[in-house]
Amino acid sequence: SVPELVRQAIAAAQPMIDESHCVVDTEVDPSLPPIEGDVATLTNALHNLLGNAAKYGRSGGWIGVRAAPGNGVVEIRVADRGEGIPADEKKRIFEPFFRGGQALRDQIHGTGLGLPLAKKIFEAHGGSLAVESEPGLGTEFIVRLPLVTV
């Protein structure tokens, strides 16, 4: 159940969300068809995206979580209104151990393994992970996971 997956990921990330004083705005279609996969692993990957939104979004900021049907997939979007990712860094964020300038400058905790691992997890489930980001306007991660075919 996608609504349950999103609920569990938000619950797991809640301490980080509370610490950053962010507000989570969710819009999850309750009638979404199910997806197939390992709940714990998918929850962990989604938790990583939410944790990053809490860490890199502005303190006291906004995190948007949207889940809706797409073309044969369920699309889950996690967005923040933080600084965004510079274009030269955006193409490297899925490389293991890569840490962007903001992470280094602001001494944000992390190893640079979360996004590469999340991407691998979504791909192992037949899906994908993409990013849209503009400096100064925030970042949005787009997860696409295939619907269960009967």
Side-chain angles (χ1 to χ4, degrees):
S1 163
V2 174
E4 182 60 16
L5 173 67
V6 170
R7 188 199 65 72
Q8 287 182 23
I10 291 171
Q14 198 63 55
M16 293 175 75
I17 293 166
D18 290 345
E19 185 178 316
S20 68
H21 306 287
C22 287
V23 173
V24 179
D25 178 22
T26 59
E27 189 177 306
V28 179
D29 182 346
S31 67
L32 280 169
I35 57 173
E36 191 171 345
D38 181 77
V39 174
T41 306
L42 288 169
T43 299
N44 190 16
L46 199 53
H47 167 269
N48 176 268
L49 300 181
L50 290 160
N52 281 351
K55 287 193 292 188
Y56 294 100
R58 293 187 179 104
S59 180
W62 172 90
I63 299 171
V65 181
R66 306 282 180 263
N71 187 15
V73 299
V74 168
E75 206 171 76
I76 303 169
R77 293 175 173 258
V78 177
D80 68 56
R81 293 181 181 146
E83 288 185 26
I85 304 169
D88 61 325
E89 293 180 6
K90 192 163 47 171
K91 54 190 158 200
R92 298 194 57 209
I93 63 170
F94 297 115
E95 293 177 13
F97 302 109
F98 177 76
R99 303 283 320 244
Q102 181 185 0
L104 299 173
R105 181 182 65 248
D106 296 344
Q107 298 182 354
I108 296 173
H109 174 73
T111 61
L113 291 174
L115 286 176
L117 182 58
K119 185 172 174 41
K120 293 283 186 197
I121 288 169
F122 295 129
E123 289 173 347
H125 284 82
S128 64
L129 176 60
V131 64
E132 294 176 358
S133 185
E134 293 294 328
L137 298 177
T139 300
E140 183 172 50
F141 284 95
I142 302 107
V143 176
R144 292 182 180 96
L145 293 166
L147 297 172
V148 172
T149 55
V150 181

